[in-house]
Amino acid sequence: MRTKVAIIGAGPAGLLLGRLLDKAGIETVILERRSQDYVLGRIRAGVLEQGTVELLDRADVSERLHADGLVHDGVELCFDGDKHRFNFRELIGRTVTVYGQTEVTRDLMQARDDSGAKTIYEAENVSLHDFDSDKPKVRYLKDGVEHELACDFIAGCDGYHGVARASVPAGSIRTFERVYPFGWLGILVDKPPVAEELIYAHHERGFALCSMRSPTRSRYYVQVPADEQVQEWSDDRFWDELRRRVDEETADNLVTGPSIEKSIAPLRSFVAEPLRFGRLFLAGDAAHIVPPTGAKGLNLAASDVGALAEAFIAFYADRSSAGIDGYSARVLSRIWKAERFSWWMTSILHTFPNKDAFSRRIQRAEFDYLRSSEAAARSLAENYTGLPM
Ligand code: RFL
Ligand code: PHB
């Protein structure tokens, strides 16, 4: 089999890249290790930057997003029970949209099915070959049979644990990492959200987040130690802990119910450099990880593949390699700014074991500054709603 761009991974990065190339008449094949249902069953991100929405508009996959997505003008930050709203629309004239990653994925899968572009699910033992030449290949097993896919380019969109980044010779790649000593325990519940907008709460017992997926489905998180076991958390224990970390009004208004999903996600910052190795390109979580506090992971994946699609389109239009040559430097500059913002949001909102009283006062001062300075609030608004693509 032969294609122009072999895409590894059918997460949001791989599917959106496939869609943007498909719209430009560039053939792709996506190889995904899991089944379609498994990919759709993962509960992850919920907040889309305005630029991500615009990219999904250009990809012509945003009809449901505009019908069902919730446009939010701002968020609330709550510090030891003290709550302050940041109105992004007033501060910088931009908004975010709450629409689950699962739904973005579903819309992209549907568009790909409709267009007839090929996705091979449950592709096992995917391996990358000859990407230092102009004839790269990908091999994989499907139903026990070995296949080879010849291509012009390989896009590694296979997430943090994928095969693409692991295929690069160790001497050609540098990685930067910070692991945090805590994770997020999240639950999904079919009850109306506690408030119209997201509430990010700092409390000495730990961080908490009140989020949502729709007017009838809520998503809540509490910070837990990195080695916590999800079985230790009954729904009742979760609700009690959440109530203790938010302000009184929020605690009183919480509509609780049985969880329909409960899981723990570790927090990590990670960047690989560079993101191009001959004819192999990394994008999305394969290239970088951010802690979820800034709601940047999915959005960064989208901006990476927006740039990568432009580079491939320019290459096929006029054999210009300027876009593919510049891809890594171009996206890394934006990636590091999102890393900075996500690290900063994580630092001010979480409780760090072994942090001294001085550090806690600094966290408090960050909150007081944000609340009292329009310049500081505008900086938060600019980063949260997304820096220019
Ligand atoms: P994905 O989604 O991990 O998809 C990678 C795909 O590659 C497949 N794969 C392979 N396929 C073939 N061969 C192999 N060897 C393979 N190895 C892996 C995998 O099965 C998978 O289908 O990466 P992608 O596409 O780069 O997308 C990244 C986003 O999923 C991620 O950044 C976000 O979910 C992060 N994130 C959030 N991002 C936001 O922008 N806003 C948020 O509000 C937000 N909240 C979150 C989050 C992530 C969370 N968790 C669980 C990590 C909340 C949570 C709790
Ligand atoms: C979510 O709704 O899952 C969510 C929202 C905001 C974040 C992280 C996760 O910063």
Side-chain angles (χ1 to χ4, degrees), residues 233-243 256-257 262:
W233 286 82
S234 66
D235 288 356
D236 284 344
R237 180 175 175 203
F238 183 93
W239 294 120
D240 287 344
E241 190 59 41
L242 179 62
R243 272 195 212 92
T256 64
K262 195 188 281 165

Side-chain angles (χ1 to χ4, degrees), residues 90-164:
E90 272 175 16
L91 286 162
I92 51 152
R94 293 176 77 76
T95 59
V96 292
T97 300
V98 170
Y99 188 68
Q101 175 168 334
T102 314
E103 304 311 317
V104 174
T105 306
R106 195 188 306 280
D107 295 341
L108 286 163
M109 283 177 172
Q110 184 65 52
R112 196 166 175 87
D113 283 353
D114 293 347
S115 77
K118 193 161 186 148
T119 311
I120 296 159
Y121 289 99
E122 298 177 90
E124 294 171 79
N125 294 0
V126 170
S127 60
L128 282 53
H129 305 270
D130 305 332
F131 51 82
D132 53 352
S133 78
D134 58 4
K135 291 191 176 58
K137 294 167 203 72
V138 182
R139 298 203 184 101
Y140 62 97
L141 276 181
K142 174 72 186 170
D143 300 326
V145 181
E146 188 159 28
H147 297 266
E148 185 174 280
L149 175 62
C151 56
D152 298 334
F153 297 103
I154 303 173
C157 301
D158 50 350
Y160 181 67
H161 299 287
V163 66

Side-chain angles (χ1 to χ4, degrees), residues 8-15 31-34 38-39 42-48 101 123-126 157-164 184 186 198 200 211 213 219 221 263-266 283-290 292 294-301 384:
I8 319 297
L15 287 164
L31 298 174
E32 164 61 50
R33 183 165 57 143
R34 304 285 191 174
Y38 182 95
V39 173
R42 292 190 293 228
I43 309 294
R44 287 186 169 178
V47 178
L48 305 183
Q101 175 168 334
E124 294 171 79
N125 294 0
V126 170
C157 301
D158 50 350
Y160 181 67
H161 299 287
V163 66
W184 282 16
L198 271 61
Y200 289 82
S211 181
R213 289 292 176 275
R219 179 85 169 145
Y221 297 96
S263 53
I264 296 181
D285 279 13
H288 43 72
I289 294 287
V290 284
K296 290 281 161 263
L298 168 59
N299 292 298
L300 267 188
Y384 192 90

